[in-house]
Amino acid sequence: MGNALIIAEYKDGKLKKGSRAAFAFAREYTQKNGGAFHVLVIGHNVTDVAEQCRRFGAEKVWQADAEGLGPYLAESWAQVVAQVAGDSQAELVGATATALAKDLLPRVAAKLDAGMASDIMGIDDNGYFLRPVWAGNAVVAAEITSPVKVVTVRGTEFEPAPEGEPGGELAPVTVNVDLGALKKRFVRFEEVKSERPELTEAAIIISGGRGTKGEEGFKLVEQLADLLGAAVGATRAAVDAGWVPNDLQVGQTGKVVAPDLYVAVGISGAIQHLAGMKGSKTIVAINKDEEAPIFSVADYGLVADLFKAVPEMVEEIKKAKA
Amino acid sequence: MKILVTVKRVTDPDVKVKVKSDGTGVVTDGIDYKVNPFDEIAVEEALRIKEKAGGEVVVASIGPAEATKEIRSALAMGAERGILVTTDQPLDPGVVARVLAKLVEEEKPDLILMGKQAVDGDNNQTGQMLAELLGVGQACFASKVELADDGGKATVTREVDGGFDVVEVDLPAVITADLRLNEPRYASLPGIMKAKKKPIKEVTLDSLGVDTNRKVVWHTFSEPPVRQAGIMVPDVPTLVAKLRDEAKVI
């Protein structure tokens, strides 16, 4: 039986919590299918990250550390992943479905002549990968017939692997990538700074849609979010209108989230948006249109003008907290 | 500048599909087909580049004979000609990438523009796979594309987690469009008339000599977990009380 190799992601020298969903999946996969769970860390000066990765039950943590691997490029990283997939005798290569993984892993699959399943939610009894299609309105059982299987793992479907004592062997990778031959160069990263928690890691999300009518309305959403220590989300309409940055988009093509509490403010509930949030534990919808489809997925619906209801909510919660 | 842009025929993205009762697929009866919205953005970007730098936009699609309709709608927007690879068999992104690689080999475009994903299969794989097969650079999830004056490279802004990643990629390259790249134009009436006379070359999938063996095979379809409908609350104080005492989330 082959092993499962998971690519870890990190930011500012810290392993991203999201990667632990793919770790959990790989542990489950190898427990069922045999083989061992391995982790791969790619970058420059990533010894700290590799050390952190030893705490999640991996048999081996591969560290591909070279100056030219510093800023992520699909072209260089795919070569490293393909190389280590061979070295680690991986039958499964995967990562949590982030923007980076979505960019990188199809290229890896093509390199390994492997089939790939995106955004998987689990495995059925036949060993087929369950994944959402048509904006999550159907789930298909996808069989990968190639010897190596590539997957991205939907972060909201797996409890993050628990952190334990460090274990597992650290294995340095001799990197054989000719960076001069790459046909792409990293220019810069324009960070969108925010004091709020990340969407995919927040316990509470307050999201705004077209009904907020603009930045003024979104201020109310943000006010409520800050009171609850929540992340701010948005619909495509709100992002397209330029009221909020694009990485706040929740939906089929944005982020898929499943917080404990999701409050949809002035959101009608287009299928593309529902695809990204209907796995949330508790959903609240505030909309003045009682016919809005968002109410069909809401645990608590309130038909009201958000410009009155949200400030009132802020006051009520302040009172309740006092 | 010669640009190859891909369009996929997909079910209307604004219609919620249902799973067939026998689990063999989704119900498509009575649903309109459209150009995949991300591909429409790719077509628009190709046209804008052509209008600035000159050249030709070639539209490619793979699918049933009916997909000429989707190619025509790209031609009506302003593309020059189309290629339809006809097949009724199910494909996976790997097969599609190999077919496109074959078309690239024949057409030798300076740039390949695609949507980042199709809204039916939601795979988000084909562009990246094509770039690897061609041995060229990829710039996926593009929200801005700037071509160098000499046409030798492009600076692309990519939408990623936490911000924007800016890369410079040598041409030819594969660029995949994200939502914010542009606002696609509507075809004008003269554009629609002209498109009727523009050439679409049809070739069968089997005639291309490409490996059409899938590595991903779809089996049973099922409904996603359904949420129980909740309750309506009359006012804000009730809502806050419910969240505190019943759901215990605040």
Side-chain angles (χ1 to χ4, degrees), chain A residues 84-98:
Chain A
V84 177
D87 293 347
S88 65
Q89 295 176 311
E91 147 191 317
L92 183 113
V93 177
T96 300
T98 60

Side-chain angles (χ1 to χ4, degrees), chain A residues 233-293:
Chain A
T235 63
R236 177 185 169 185
V239 174
D240 281 359
W243 304 337
V244 287
N246 62 278
D247 73 328
L248 297 189
Q249 184 178 329
V250 172
Q252 180 188 18
T253 64
K255 300 245 165 42
V256 177
V257 298
D260 295 335
L261 173 63
Y262 189 92
V263 183
V265 178
I267 291 175
S268 64
I271 54 179
Q272 291 82 2
H273 185 73
L274 299 184
M277 47 64 79
K278 63 185 176 187
S280 305
K281 240 177 247 164
T282 299
I283 297 176
V284 171
I286 302 171
N287 201 299
K288 63 180 181 191
D289 173 13
E290 59 182 281
E291 302 290 321

Side-chain angles (χ1 to χ4, degrees), chain A residues 98-311:
Chain A
T98 60
L100 185 149
K102 290 174 187 178
D103 185 52
L104 171 66
L105 284 171
R107 192 160 183 130
V108 170
K111 205 175 254 308
L112 294 171
D113 204 17
M116 171 168 172
S118 301
D119 228 10
I120 60 165
M121 305 156 72
I123 297 189
D124 72 6
D125 295 339
N126 298 310
Y128 302 159
F129 298 97
L130 298 170
R131 55 171 303 262
V133 287
W134 274 273
N137 287 307
V139 175
V140 72
E143 177 188 10
I144 301 183
T145 58
S146 50
V148 178
K149 300 158 183 30
V150 178
V151 298
T152 52
V153 175
R154 179 169 273 203
T156 53
E157 298 289 333
F158 297 89
E159 284 294 321
E163 187 167 348
E165 289 303 310
E169 174 197 350
L170 209 56
V173 177
T174 310
V175 179
N176 284 319
V177 178
D178 182 2
L179 295 166
L182 294 179
K183 290 165 181 154
K184 190 165 91 184
R185 289 148 309 270
F186 171 80
V187 178
R188 65 180 179 276
F189 183 67
E190 296 167 1
E191 190 175 356
V192 178
K193 285 213 157 61
S194 172
E195 301 297 312
R196 300 189 182 94
E198 276 201 44
L199 262 180
T200 49
E201 297 185 2
I204 302 178
I205 296 174
I206 317 293
S207 266
R210 203 191 297 273
T212 60
K213 296 198 179 119
E215 285 171 33
E216 281 304 305
F218 241 93
K219 287 231 170 75
L220 299 175
V221 169
E222 289 166 356
Q223 220 183 339
L224 181 57
D226 290 343
L227 180 64
L228 294 169
V232 168
T235 63
R236 177 185 169 185
V239 174
D240 281 359
W243 304 337
V244 287
N246 62 278
D247 73 328
L248 297 189
Q249 184 178 329
V250 172
Q252 180 188 18
T253 64
K255 300 245 165 42
V256 177
V257 298
D260 295 335
L261 173 63
Y262 189 92
V263 183
V265 178
I267 291 175
S268 64
I271 54 179
Q272 291 82 2
H273 185 73
L274 299 184
M277 47 64 79
K278 63 185 176 187
S280 305
K281 240 177 247 164
T282 299
I283 297 176
V284 171
I286 302 171
N287 201 299
K288 63 180 181 191
D289 173 13
E290 59 182 281
E291 302 290 321
I294 189 77
F295 287 123
S296 71
V297 300
D299 299 286
Y300 303 105
L302 175 64
V303 178
D305 177 0
L306 71 92
F307 290 90
K308 291 200 185 102
V310 176

